[in-house]
Amino acid sequence: ASEGKVLPALPVPVVVLAKLAPTRAGDAALEQSSALRAALRSATPGDDCSAISAEGDPMISEPQELSVTRLSKDKVLVSTLCWRAAYNEGYGFWVANDKAPFQPVLVTTSGTDNDGSTISAWQKGRGLGDCGWTADWGWDGKRFVATSEATSGLCRMVTAGGAWEMPTVVSRIQH
């Protein structure tokens, strides 16, 4: 068929990142909350975050601390190390109410970094680091939305990180 039949590109979605609320005195106490930990466990499927499950993760020798970041007047971002593998590790990130009932909503268990308003993930496809996957989620004031995702394609020893980046989610971020 002719190129005239190719549909026009969709506009790139714009994600406006919300400003984070200031930390409150009680936020640090949430990091020690067994009720919050139990809520995270019940909101997380199977062994997606084995470091908070009853069975634990054999690669992680002790219970992992929770980290809490204030998002809004009534929501916090809770994170903890979830799993370790030979050359990757993943942190879980949940948006939760700042008091019971916490009702956490899982964002990802493969996160590797966050600055409060953006959660990032980067995972190697194999130990050589010649391929990988990346993703980002941004806080829009109500929830974390996917703002980018890409893969380098097949692991083929072309170059570190992969030969190219093939995006599957694209957006423009505004602060």
Side-chain angles (χ1 to χ4, degrees):
S2 76
E3 288 193 31
K5 295 192 184 260
V6 174
L7 297 173
L10 295 173
V12 173
V14 175
V15 177
V16 178
L17 297 183
K19 184 177 179 184
L20 298 179
T23 302
R24 292 187 187 162
D27 291 350
L30 287 172
E31 295 175 352
Q32 306 305 317
S33 170
S34 58
L36 176 55
R37 184 176 294 276
L40 298 177
R41 195 175 299 123
S42 66
T44 308
D47 60 353
D48 285 1
C49 188
S50 56
I52 63 165
S53 73
E55 298 81 35
D57 184 330
M59 298 278 290
I60 302 172
S61 62
E62 57 193 46
Q64 298 302 298
E65 293 181 9
L66 300 180
S67 176
V68 172
T69 303
R70 172 73 47 188
L71 294 172
S72 68
K73 66 180 178 123
D74 61 346
K75 299 288 183 195
V76 292
L77 177 64
V78 183
S79 64
T80 190
L81 178 64
C82 277
W83 56 268
R84 276 201 177 115
Y87 43 82
N88 287 319
E89 63 183 15
Y91 285 78
F93 291 90
W94 298 261
V95 175
N97 294 330
D98 64 355
K99 57 184 175 271
F102 295 108
Q103 299 176 316
V105 175
L106 178 64
V107 178
T108 184
T109 58
S110 294
T112 52
D113 194 20
N114 91 90
D115 66 5
S117 62
T118 301
I119 298 168
S120 300
W122 184 84
Q123 303 291 333
K124 292 180 186 182
R126 63 182 183 172
L128 296 171
D130 61 337
C131 57
W133 164 83
T134 64
D136 293 299
W137 298 265
W139 175 248
D140 70 0
K142 295 180 183 162
R143 63 191 175 103
F144 276 90
V145 295
T147 57
S148 71
E149 186 170 353
T151 178
S152 66
L154 298 173
C155 303
R156 293 290 186 243
M157 295 286 298
V158 176
T159 186
W164 49 76
E165 184 176 276
M166 300 187 66
T168 53
V169 174
V170 176
S171 67
R172 196 173 73 227
I173 305 296
Q174 288 185 350
H175 297 274

